[in-house]
């Protein structure tokens, strides 16, 4: 959870983020025969060709970076640790920008947020605009020299909620070469009861639990899905929302971003094992294998490649 915008709050969040980054590295190292860390589009393709799963490291909320020059140094440090996608803001305004689910404080980007955009471009990291307020998205579109990605968002035409984005901005993101990744969340109203909130807090620290306790927590979560689901969203609604995104943005500017770790399971699409249902439905609706390849990886890797290319073109000539 985002704490106070103070040096103490930033320090606590930074310590948590660094520990999580180390946990990701340790987990990947234990399963190196099955999954590999990627920092470039080329590495992702090589891992896939070798029959391995692909892991990209990302940050959903830039709050842990802190303030002032230290924030830019922290961003560069996380880039060296392999992070390639960074969201500027989460559910509350922070020191960089306004959130879509908070009252305006900066009316878009703060001065530090503008520095953040420039540094993200310089480092070759992809800007994630999910959770950002409309004004924040507009200003990042105007300032960034690389395309934006929305890692888990939907159109407001599918469900009118500020966490989603309107069709006109979707078209602008596409025109700038970016992409919107269709999410399973906010296609209906959120139903967050006290028991679910408690489980969310426990899951935030799941990495500290013993394997049997992790399994028990997962079972408890799934049991609650049967009696108090977070979302009243069906698979058919998700497909309709995905097809709307494709119609608005074009097949070259849509990708997948379910948000399962954020409570994104819905009826008929409860977990990653059911993702092939999406492929089967879209193929039945006439999408080609080439189009499906764009949705599942191609568009995301193209956006990452554009950020990488910005770094190469900025490097001094020898």
């Amino acid at each position: 959870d985002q704490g106070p915008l103070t040096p103490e709050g930033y320090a606590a969040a930074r310590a948590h983020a660094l520990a999580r980054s180390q946990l990701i590295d340790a987990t990947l190292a234990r399963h190196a025969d099955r999954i590999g860390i990627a920092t470039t589009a080329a590495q992702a393709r090589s891992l896939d060709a070798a029959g391995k799963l692909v892991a990209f490291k990302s940050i959903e909320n830039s709050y842990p970076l802190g303030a002032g020059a230290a924030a830019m140094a922290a961003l560069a440090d996380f880039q060296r640790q392999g992070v390639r996608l960074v969201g500027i803001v989460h559910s509350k305004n922070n020191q960089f920008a306004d959130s879509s689910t908070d009252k305006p404080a900066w009316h878009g980007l703060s001065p530090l947020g503008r520095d953040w955009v420039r540094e993200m471009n310089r480092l070759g990291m992809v800007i994630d605009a999910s959770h950002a307020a409309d004004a924040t998205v507009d200003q990042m579109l105007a300032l960034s020299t690389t395309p934006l990605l929305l890692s888990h968002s939907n159109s407001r035409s599918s469900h009118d909620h500020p966490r989603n984005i309107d069709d006109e901005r979707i078209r602008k993101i596409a025109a700038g070469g970016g992409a919107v990744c269709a999410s399973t969340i906010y296609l209906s109203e959120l139903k967050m009861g006290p028991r679910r909130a408690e489980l969310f807090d426990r899951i935030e620290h799941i990495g500290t639990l013993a394997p049997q306790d992790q399994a028990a927590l997962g079972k408890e979560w799934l049991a609650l899905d049967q009696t108090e689901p977070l979302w009243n969203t069906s698979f058919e609604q998700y497909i309709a929302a995905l097809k709307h995104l494709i119609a608005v943005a074009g097949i070259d500017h849509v990708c997948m971003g379910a948000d399962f770790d954020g409570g994104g399971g819905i009826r008929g699409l409860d977990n990653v094992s059911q993702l092939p249902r999406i492929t089967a439905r879209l193929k039945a609706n006439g999408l080609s294998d080439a189009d499906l390849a764009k949705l599942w990886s191609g568009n995301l890797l193209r956006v990452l490649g554009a950020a990488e290319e910005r770094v190469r073109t900025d490097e001094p000539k020898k």
Side-chain angles (χ1 to χ4, degrees):
D1 286 343
Q2 181 171 304
L5 305 184
T6 63
E8 295 77 16
Y10 300 143
R14 177 87 182 281
H16 177 82
L18 288 170
R20 182 61 58 88
S21 179
Q22 292 161 8
L23 176 62
I24 291 169
D25 291 343
T27 303
L28 292 173
R30 284 199 305 272
H31 302 285
D33 59 323
R34 297 169 57 196
I35 185 168
I37 184 77
T39 58
T40 67
Q43 287 174 0
R45 294 187 178 98
S46 294
L47 286 166
D48 181 60
K52 292 186 178 182
L53 298 171
V54 180
F56 280 108
K57 291 171 77 171
S58 66
I59 296 173
E60 188 169 20
N61 182 3
S62 288
Y63 165 70
L65 299 178
M72 302 304 109
L75 192 58
D77 182 50
F78 279 111
Q79 193 267 0
R80 286 189 290 271
Q81 293 182 49
V83 172
R84 288 298 180 270
L85 173 72
V86 186
I88 193 168
V89 71
H90 194 236
S91 57
K92 298 178 182 178
N93 302 336
N94 63 17
Q95 66 272 36
F96 299 100
D98 286 341
S99 167
S100 62
T101 47
D102 204 350
K103 295 179 180 179
W106 302 106
H107 300 284
L109 295 168
S110 71
L112 185 64
R114 293 180 177 276
D115 291 341
W116 180 94
V117 172
R118 286 186 280 264
E119 185 67 357
M120 286 286 291
N121 289 163
R122 189 187 73 81
L123 292 168
M125 302 168 83
V126 177
I127 293 173
D128 183 359
S130 281
H131 285 285
D134 288 349
T136 304
V137 173
D138 291 343
Q139 291 167 25
M140 289 195 295
L141 275 169
L143 185 59
S144 178
T145 57
T146 62
L148 304 189
L149 187 81
L150 274 69
S151 65
H152 56 306
S153 294
N154 289 304
S155 166
R156 282 187 199 144
S157 296
S158 297
H159 181 67
D160 190 8
H161 190 280
R163 243 305 265 120
N164 293 327
I165 187 166
D166 63 276
D167 288 355
E168 186 56 34
R169 285 185 174 84
I170 290 172
R171 293 185 185 97
K172 289 179 180 178
I173 288 164
V180 180
C181 300
S183 178
T184 51
I185 65 171
Y186 290 109
L187 290 173
S188 59
E189 289 302 312
L190 173 65
K191 298 180 180 179
M192 178 69 76
R195 185 61 181 147
R196 182 75 72 174
E198 180 186 338
L199 292 182
F200 259 114
D201 289 341
R202 289 169 59 193
I203 285 175
E204 184 65 20
H205 303 284
I206 196 170
T208 64
L209 302 178
Q212 63 270 23
D213 295 328
Q214 293 183 8
L217 180 55
K219 289 180 180 178
E220 197 171 354
W221 180 278
L222 292 174
L224 193 61
D225 283 346
Q226 301 306 310
T227 58
E228 299 178 37
L230 264 176
W231 311 100
N232 185 28
T233 303
S234 68
F235 177 74
E236 297 301 329
Q237 284 175 278
Y238 180 78
I239 291 295
L242 174 57
K243 290 170 70 175
H244 178 80
L245 276 178
I246 294 170
V248 173
I251 193 64
D252 293 314
H253 303 283
V254 180
C255 45
M256 311 304 297
D259 199 28
F260 288 123
D261 71 317
I266 59 175
R267 295 193 312 277
L269 196 61
D270 299 300
N271 56 63
V272 294
S273 72
Q274 295 177 334
L275 291 176
R277 290 195 69 197
I278 300 173
T279 296
R281 174 59 62 84
L282 294 178
K283 286 194 77 167
N285 289 169
L287 262 69
S288 66
D289 287 344
D291 286 342
L292 288 164
K294 291 177 181 180
L295 286 177
W296 285 113
S297 62
N299 294 334
L300 172 67
L301 295 180
R302 176 182 50 76
V303 172
L304 176 59
E308 296 170 10
E309 182 62 26
R310 161 64 200 268
V311 175
R312 285 192 288 270
T313 56
D314 280 358
E315 288 177 348
K317 301 294 187 292
K318 294 183 179 180

